[in-house]
Amino acid sequence: MNFNGLFQFLSELQQNNNKEWMDANRKWYQEIRNSFIDWLDHLEVELAKIDPEYYLTSGRKGINRINNNLLFHPNKPVYKDHFGAGLDQLSKQGDFYIEIGLSQCVLAGGYWRPESKTLQSIREAIDYNGEELKKILAKKSFQNIFGNLYDDGNSLKKAPKGYSINHEHIDLLQKRTFAVAYELKKEDVLDSDFTNKVIHVYKEMLPFRRYLREAVSV
């Protein structure tokens, strides 16, 4: 995958963020997109080798649209400044997310503000065995890569319904988002060892995502 070419395309797209430019450069876009899909497919083969429960998600299925949804966000540019994809996509949430772009490059996973039923399942798992999740989060190598859970600024101030404010895991029960993220630098993406770095981050994230997967599947 020529990530230098990907960054160059995105840079020129953001300077000419309109349908006319995209139409004139559609062939270039398709070349970059197809190359990214091929890289995702190669990556998936490697991820499936280390995760017996990996849910096969082709690059073509996992890749996101480059168009912004102007119906709900009319003030956004026509096109995004990144290529994004979700692999190991048993559901749209809980996948392994990869974003390579101008303003952000990130590897992430977990549940971003899940629907109430899913959130309740996660809270029930924490109530039953929150010690396991805290052990995963406290692991030194996990902390070195992700730090703490992603803070979406939307945690509850009080205890969720059915739980005491004195619960031993109240700090987790109050959260509405259960996700972690590892920010990359452009130099990381352009490094020849980038794919191996992605695999390493996936491995470190796996126990966390497995905990959530089991929580929502009960």
Side-chain angles (χ1 to χ4, degrees):
M1 170 75 207
N2 179 11
F3 284 106
N4 249 323
L6 181 147
F7 284 119
Q8 181 184 354
F9 171 81
L10 290 174
S11 180
E12 294 200 27
L13 174 61
Q14 293 312 300
Q15 295 173 44
N16 305 275
N17 202 312
N18 56 72
K19 187 176 183 301
E20 291 74 21
W21 186 89
M22 177 62 94
D23 286 345
N25 291 272
R26 184 70 59 179
K27 183 179 178 181
W28 186 16
Y29 164 65
Q30 290 295 342
E31 288 174 351
I32 297 295
R33 183 177 185 273
N34 289 337
S35 182
F36 186 56
I37 288 172
D38 288 344
W39 178 76
L40 291 171
D41 287 339
H42 167 72
L43 176 64
E44 172 166 89
V45 171
E46 299 306 311
L47 298 182
K49 289 178 182 177
I50 63 175
D51 181 8
E53 298 177 353
Y54 184 90
Y55 188 83
L56 293 175
T57 310
S58 68
R60 196 165 296 278
K61 178 182 177 182
I63 193 170
N64 295 336
R65 287 169 53 86
I66 200 168
N67 304 65
N68 275 311
N69 190 332
L70 300 182
L71 179 63
F72 296 103
H73 305 283
N75 296 322
K76 283 191 173 184
V78 179
Y79 301 104
K80 301 171 185 175
D81 70 346
H82 63 269
F83 283 86
L87 296 183
D88 193 16
Q89 195 181 111
L90 182 60
S91 65
K92 266 293 185 181
Q93 288 195 312
D95 60 1
F96 179 63
Y97 178 69
I98 301 169
E99 182 175 309
I100 308 296
L102 301 180
S103 59
Q104 176 178 261
C105 295
V106 66
L107 305 174
Y111 286 78
W112 171 267
R113 299 184 184 178
E115 61 181 2
S116 57
K117 183 179 179 181
T118 300
L119 180 58
Q120 182 60 28
S121 294
I122 295 173
R123 284 176 173 160
E124 287 173 358
I126 292 169
D127 180 45
Y128 177 72
N129 189 12
E131 292 85 1
E132 181 182 349
L133 178 56
K134 284 193 170 179
K135 183 178 179 181
I136 292 170
L137 299 176
K139 186 181 176 183
K140 186 176 180 180
S141 55
F142 186 94
Q143 283 281 316
N144 288 341
I145 293 178
F146 305 112
N148 298 315
L149 285 174
Y150 187 87
D151 183 6
D152 69 346
N154 198 38
S155 294
L156 297 174
K157 303 299 182 185
K158 300 179 180 179
K161 185 178 180 180
Y163 298 97
S164 168
I165 194 66
N166 297 315
H167 194 290
E168 61 178 328
H169 305 309
I170 190 61
D171 55 328
L172 292 174
L173 293 171
Q174 288 174 316
K175 292 188 175 296
R176 288 176 171 164
T177 287
F178 292 87
V180 293
Y182 176 69
E183 292 191 11
L184 299 154
K185 297 177 181 178
K186 183 178 179 180
E187 304 86 75
D188 295 325
V189 179
L190 296 178
D191 191 283
S192 60
D193 201 41
F194 176 55
T195 299
N196 287 331
K197 189 178 190 71
V198 175
I199 294 170
H200 175 68
V201 172
Y202 179 90
K203 285 181 179 178
E204 198 61 54
M205 193 189 297
L206 195 51
F208 170 71
R209 293 181 57 243
R210 278 180 176 160
Y211 180 94
L212 296 177
R213 185 188 301 163
E214 291 178 12
V216 302
S217 62
V218 173

